[in-house]
Amino acid sequence: MSNGYLKELNYDELIKLFDSFDTGLVYIGGDWCKNCNNVLDIVVEEAMKAKLPYIYKYDPVFVNVYGEKEDLRDCKSLEIKLKYYAIVEKSHFKSDELVKDTLIPKIHVPFFMAIRNGSCVGYYTTQLIKDNNGKLHYENDTKDMTQEFRDNMKELISKMEYNKLF
């Protein structure tokens, strides 16, 4: 269900969302991330209810010039650090956890941000796992967090005020 609703972006297209005063919900993560896969169907459900045409998806994992997979969030070169820092700055992301050997906050995936007219108006990230019953919860905790996650996504989407734009 979710993959057909995602509009894949490369780095330049992601930055252009901000520079062109666009509006939309951005998901940073990928199929390689179990936590992302655990929550994506709920995110798509809530985006569809809000009548968003799609969710922008940016995968921070890419193939570098040496043909190796690399994660932008690891900041292994100056060029990559600058690109990653641009995302952190444009999202206004704050965290006490820093990328190794930098003063740049570490973004964990899944990471969702609401962009309205080129500005990030909110973001949300969580590390939920899914149990055998399809309920979301934190590792080593049995409290069902499914509804709370759904409510947080509704609130994030509402910050875009997407329906008021058209």
Side-chain angles (χ1 to χ4, degrees):
M1 171 178 147
S2 53
N3 283 342
Y5 197 67
L6 303 176
K7 183 175 182 178
E8 303 229 5
L9 302 174
N10 62 33
Y11 176 82
D12 293 330
E13 292 167 329
L14 173 62
I15 297 303
K16 189 176 178 186
L17 290 177
F18 296 100
D19 296 341
S20 64
F21 305 103
D22 211 336
T23 296
L25 181 65
V26 176
Y27 153 59
I28 297 179
D31 297 337
W32 45 267
C33 172
K34 181 178 67 171
N35 291 333
C36 296
N37 295 327
N38 288 338
V39 300
L40 203 51
D41 284 343
I42 292 173
V43 176
V44 168
E45 237 178 79
E46 294 305 324
M48 291 173 93
K49 285 180 190 175
K51 298 187 176 29
L52 300 183
Y54 40 77
I55 298 169
Y56 293 108
K57 175 189 176 191
Y58 173 69
D59 190 336
V61 174
F62 64 98
V63 176
N64 66 20
V65 294
Y66 304 109
E68 304 163 332
K69 280 191 176 182
E70 185 176 333
D71 191 323
L72 184 85
R73 299 168 304 140
D74 292 336
C75 297
K76 290 187 176 181
S77 69
L78 179 58
E79 177 187 4
I80 299 304
K81 278 181 189 159
L82 292 172
K83 285 183 171 186
Y84 176 71
Y85 185 69
I87 294 171
V88 170
E89 280 297 298
K90 289 180 182 297
S91 69
H92 310 292
F93 180 71
K94 304 285 185 235
S95 172
D96 291 336
E97 184 180 355
L98 304 176
V99 176
K100 183 180 178 189
D101 299 326
T102 74
L103 295 175
I104 306 170
K106 174 81 170 183
I107 293 175
H108 290 281
V109 294
F111 182 79
F112 302 95
M113 68 178 140
I115 299 174
R116 178 173 166 75
N117 299 330
S119 294
C120 181
V121 293
Y123 61 81
Y124 182 69
T125 185
T126 189
Q127 301 295 303
L128 294 170
I129 59 174
K130 193 180 277 188
D131 64 22
N132 293 336
N133 298 322
K135 304 292 184 192
L136 298 174
H137 58 90
Y138 292 107
E139 195 168 354
N140 301 322
D141 192 350
T142 57
K143 181 180 177 196
D144 184 1
M145 300 298 291
T146 307
Q147 189 58 48
E148 185 174 320
F149 175 77
R150 187 178 295 279
D151 292 343
N152 286 328
M153 289 311 304
K154 285 179 192 177
E155 182 181 336
L156 182 64
I157 291 168
S158 74
K159 289 179 179 182
M160 295 173 6
E161 298 178 340
Y162 184 82
N163 291 333
K164 293 181 181 177
L165 294 175
F166 302 100

